Amino acid sequence: MFEKVLIANRGEIALRIHRACREMGIQTVAVHSTADADAMHVRLADESVCIGPASARESYLNIPAILSAASITNVDAIHPGIGFLSENAQFAEMVEEHGFTFIGPTPEHIRIMGDKVTAKKTVMEQGLPVVPGSDGPVSTLEEAEKVAHETGYPVLIKAAAGGGGKGMKVARNPDQLKEAYQLARGEARAAFGNDEVYLEKYLGRPRHIEIQLLGDTHGACVHFGERDCSVQRRHQKVIEEAPSPALNAEQREYIGALAAKTAAAIGYRGVGTMEFLFEDGQFYFIEMNTRLQVEHTITEMITGIDLVREQIRVAAGAPLGYGQSDIRFEGHAIECRVNAENPETFIPSPGKIDGYHAPGGLGVRVDSALYDGYRVPSHYDSLIAKLVVHGTTRNECLMRLRRSIEEYVIGGIQTTLPLHDRIIAQQAFIDGNYDIHWLEQLMAKS
Ligand code: ADP
């Protein structure tokens, strides 16, 4: 097992990884920008190295600075966390070339899944259903028009290198397609330096269902069930729950087993997530994330398994040591992503925390690096806390979530807690009856 791990990230996820390492007896090295000198992950780590100024490009995305920090502190492995360099195949390669272990999949798997066109092709070959659309990238407007005509409107133009909902545009007719095609390419070029796009049928009322996977380096691969991440704004997840209220036992078993079989067939190692849209009883693969996900917490709550620990174990070469039938599911879990934003306009609200009280009690987990007096910097993602609640039943979980939101005090800045409070009070949410467009429709009403 590793003796020392460098955590190439910040905020709640850096803390989350630090916690897993501590429990495994592994020492931690935090890296941070000048804006994060007082951050909790820096305070708790055994050692810390400042890797650059506030701008992420010069710090958390600065590969030479991170590798130098790893050399100076003599670590065995690097955990990339979520976002930043976590899906950068070149970084994974360089980490290994410098003699450290990359806690994640092989650079090859990152590369295959990072290009969504190749990803779709790869899983299709293994028999996974995908959203109908173009066979590969569409490189001219004429080609896009042809595919859209065949697929039928509405269609969605998506960036091959996409992530975070960027470079994604809907077109409902040929006129809109002209504009959407150019817009999507422009946005993809700006966001990813790659303007390759492809086309998919735009589904009208699907749910977002994803399967948590874990493979070891000895060919074993299991799944940890599904998460329903259909409560979204601008294609970004807001609330996630597990299990999904939309699936029956047979559908659950089918998609979990199929995803695990596919991951095993391609020799996937580490944690990963296959994302699907689910409509009228059909699953359609959309992408695979080759890293830990923000919402891994709800899977941990219903399985009792520490996924970061498992991720570190398999990266160190350990065999899984258990099979699919050993994974048991208990109760229900919901996660609310709490952002430092105005809950109505979503304008970021960085600043100093003045008064902080996190909820607690049975079944309540708060993953956050906040503390009273901490200054939320303006330079990074606005996610500041994940409120995760577990209950024996979905109803118990909802009641517990309601009282946890009530208890949660984050003073000094605006947060999206009031939005969560509003969402979970809606009858459609209580009934588990929502799709990926539901939240935006709800917000448009007010
Ligand atoms: P990203 O990598 O940018 O997050 P995804 O492919 O994972 O992009 O899609 C993000 C979200 O966009 C999905 O959860 C879903 O809400 C929506 N979406 C993606 N593809 C489709 C589609 N074909 N039809 C309708 N909605 C879609």
Side-chain angles (χ1 to χ4, degrees):
M1 188 41 68
F2 308 125
E3 278 177 23
K4 212 196 246 190
V5 166
L6 181 142
I7 303 164
N9 218 293
R10 64 177 302 283
E12 67 82 22
I13 199 63
L15 201 55
R16 167 72 191 87
I17 296 159
H18 165 83
R19 286 173 172 154
C21 289
R22 290 308 275 193
E23 291 178 15
M24 298 173 83
I26 299 171
Q27 292 196 315
T28 57
V29 176
V31 292
H32 65 89
S33 69
T34 50
D36 276 339
D38 291 332
M40 190 57 95
H41 77 279
V42 178
R43 291 184 173 199
L44 289 182
D46 294 296
E47 291 170 65
S48 66
V49 182
C50 180
I51 49 166
S55 144
R57 204 165 43 81
E58 294 175 84
S59 51
Y60 298 104
L61 293 170
N62 184 342
I63 297 178
I66 292 168
L67 291 176
S68 303
S71 295
I72 295 165
T73 53
N74 201 22
V75 299
D76 304 304
I78 299 182
H79 195 307
I82 293 175
F84 295 128
L85 297 167
S86 61
E87 288 176 294
N88 184 317
Q90 197 194 350
F91 176 62
E93 239 156 39
M94 288 174 79
V95 166
E96 302 273 341
E97 275 164 20
H98 281 74
F100 310 113
T101 300
F102 179 74
I103 302 179
T106 60
E108 191 200 350
H109 284 132
I110 299 177
R111 213 163 259 138
I112 292 172
M113 295 303 170
D115 178 339
K116 293 191 187 179
V117 172
T118 318
K120 277 180 85 170
K121 212 169 254 165
T122 307
V123 303
M124 256 171 91
E125 282 165 13
Q126 300 298 331
L128 270 193
V130 303
V131 187
S134 58
D135 284 339
V138 285
S139 39
T140 62
L141 178 61
E142 291 67 42
E143 202 182 332
E145 280 167 343
K146 189 166 162 275
V147 179
H149 181 73
E150 284 161 13
T151 314
Y153 287 92
V155 293
L156 189 62
I157 326 262
K158 297 172 84 171
K166 292 199 192 88
M168 212 185 278
K169 298 280 170 228
V170 186
R172 300 187 182 277
N173 53 52
D175 273 349
Q176 286 184 0
L177 184 67
K178 278 194 188 89
E179 198 187 334
Y181 180 75
Q182 299 306 344
L183 276 174
R185 285 192 76 150
E187 212 173 286
R189 196 180 310 122
F192 316 111
N194 171 358
D195 66 356
E196 193 170 279
V197 295
Y198 63 107
L199 209 132
E200 266 178 11
K201 171 97 189 140
Y202 183 65
L203 301 183
R205 42 184 184 80
R207 296 183 77 118
H208 174 116
I209 305 284
E210 58 184 34
I211 305 293
Q212 176 67 59
L213 299 160
L214 172 70
D216 68 15
T217 48
H218 310 274
C221 191
V222 292
H223 73 84
F224 295 87
E226 86 281 6
R227 294 185 285 258
D228 191 322
C229 315
S230 305
V231 179
Q232 298 186 356
R233 180 180 164 268
R234 298 200 169 159
H235 307 305
Q236 299 263 54
K237 299 158 190 167
V238 175
I239 292 184
E240 303 96 347
E241 62 177 311
S244 167
L247 299 192
N248 61 35
E250 200 184 320
Q251 290 162 331
R252 175 166 295 128
E253 172 63 26
Y254 161 78
I255 197 63
L258 190 58
K261 189 173 135 249
T262 306
I266 62 169
Y268 192 78
R269 97 176 176 208
V271 299
T273 299
M274 285 191 190
E275 299 191 332
F276 298 87
L277 294 179
F278 176 68
E279 190 176 82
D280 297 331
Q282 295 294 318
F283 292 96
Y284 306 93
F285 171 91
I286 47 172
E287 69 161 340
M288 179 171 187
N289 288 316
T290 53
R291 54 167 169 82
L292 191 68
Q293 285 192 284
V294 171
E295 62 275 19
H296 74 278
T297 55
I298 51 174
T299 301
E300 294 183 324
M301 299 299 267
I302 61 164
T303 59
I305 291 171
D306 180 332
L307 289 171
V308 178
R309 181 192 190 99
E310 293 308 292
Q311 189 183 22
I312 295 170
R313 276 185 57 237
V314 301
L320 279 188
Y322 49 85
Q324 191 61 53
S325 59
D326 298 312
I327 299 165
R328 301 273 151 80
F329 301 94
E330 268 195 53
H332 199 93
I334 303 182
E335 172 182 273
C336 293
R337 296 190 185 203
V338 183
N339 289 349
E341 288 169 1
N342 177 297
E344 278 157 25
T345 62
F346 302 98
I347 292 171
S349 174
K352 192 170 172 195
I353 304 295
D354 183 12
Y356 184 75
H357 172 79
L362 183 67
V364 179
R365 163 177 176 182
V366 177
D367 276 23
S368 174
L370 291 187
Y371 58 87
D372 199 11
Y374 172 70
R375 189 172 286 281
V376 178
S378 59
H379 313 277
Y380 313 107
D381 191 274
S382 59
L383 180 76
I384 48 168
K386 304 190 301 205
L387 172 57
V388 189
V389 168
H390 182 259
T392 315
T393 60
R394 186 168 185 271
N395 192 44
E396 185 181 282
C397 188
L398 279 172
M399 297 299 280
R400 188 163 282 159
L401 182 55
R402 184 163 310 158
R403 72 96 177 143
S404 299
I405 293 174
E406 244 170 56
E407 266 180 51
Y408 208 166
V409 178
I410 305 176
I413 59 164
Q414 290 184 303
T415 78
T416 50
L417 276 171
L419 173 70
H420 290 296
D421 198 31
R422 183 173 166 217
I423 295 172
I424 66 164
Q426 302 298 315
Q427 196 57 48
F429 188 80
I430 294 168
D431 295 340
N433 184 18
Y434 54 84
D435 60 36
I436 60 164
H437 306 298
W438 173 77
L439 178 59
E440 295 202 342
Q441 285 158 359
L442 174 72
M443 290 191 312
K445 278 188 213 148
S446 56

